[in-house]
Amino acid sequence: MFSTGVDVVGRPAREAVEPHSQEGLVYQVCRWCHTASFRKLLCPVCASSDLESAHSDGYGVVVRSSVVNRYSRVMRNESLVRFPEGFVYRCRIVGAAPHLVNVGDRVRPAGGRTSVAGEVVLELCDPPGSSGWY
């Protein structure tokens, strides 16, 4: 059945607000092949539209990192992040200089930070300089 993402049947307003108060990400799992995906309308494997929402804690690992300077004068980091639930998504990493984000760095949701463009914003778990380099 077609889903607009808005639940209009039978839930009180306080239950609808509650999942957004938790930190993390909401992703989809296909009910047919159990493939995890993020922000998709169809399953990327079997093309089923029968997707179930699930909650992730939002922690992941950077698998590709690049510094971009398009559409603005400020450099920023865009990285591909692999989440333990099994999907990879392009995210913006904040809290460190864009060139200091490396492959293999662990990331977590940036508390209270959101992007105007709808990007997923994450921050480094171990910022550069805090690991005791002498």
Side-chain angles (χ1 to χ4, degrees), residues 15-124:
E15 284 185 342
V17 173
E18 198 170 274
H20 298 292
S21 65
Q22 296 177 358
E23 200 171 281
L25 301 172
V26 177
Y27 66 100
Q28 294 87 22
V29 177
C30 178
R31 292 184 188 184
W32 291 94
C33 67
H34 304 289
T35 300
S37 60
F38 187 69
R39 290 188 179 169
K40 301 283 185 182
L41 295 175
L42 298 174
C43 174
V45 174
C46 69
S48 170
S49 64
D50 193 9
L51 301 175
E52 179 180 21
S53 295
H55 186 76
S56 167
D57 60 359
Y59 285 78
V61 175
V62 175
V63 293
R64 184 175 180 190
S65 179
S66 61
V67 177
V68 294
N69 192 18
R70 65 179 169 246
Y71 308 123
S72 71
R73 295 181 182 199
V74 179
M75 292 183 357
R76 66 184 185 280
N77 179 280
E78 286 185 359
S79 298
L80 290 178
V81 176
R82 181 177 309 278
F83 294 92
E85 291 80 15
F87 59 93
V88 176
Y89 198 71
R90 184 177 56 105
C91 303
R92 185 171 155 207
I93 309 296
V94 297
H99 65 281
L100 294 178
V101 178
N102 298 312
V103 173
D105 286 347
R106 295 180 338 193
V107 292
R108 64 177 173 238
R113 289 201 169 169
T114 58
S115 170
V116 176
E119 298 173 310
V120 175
V121 180
L122 302 173
E123 65 184 357
L124 294 174

Side-chain angles (χ1 to χ4, degrees), residues 95-96 108 124-131:
R108 64 177 173 238
L124 294 174
C125 288
D126 302 318
S130 66
S131 61

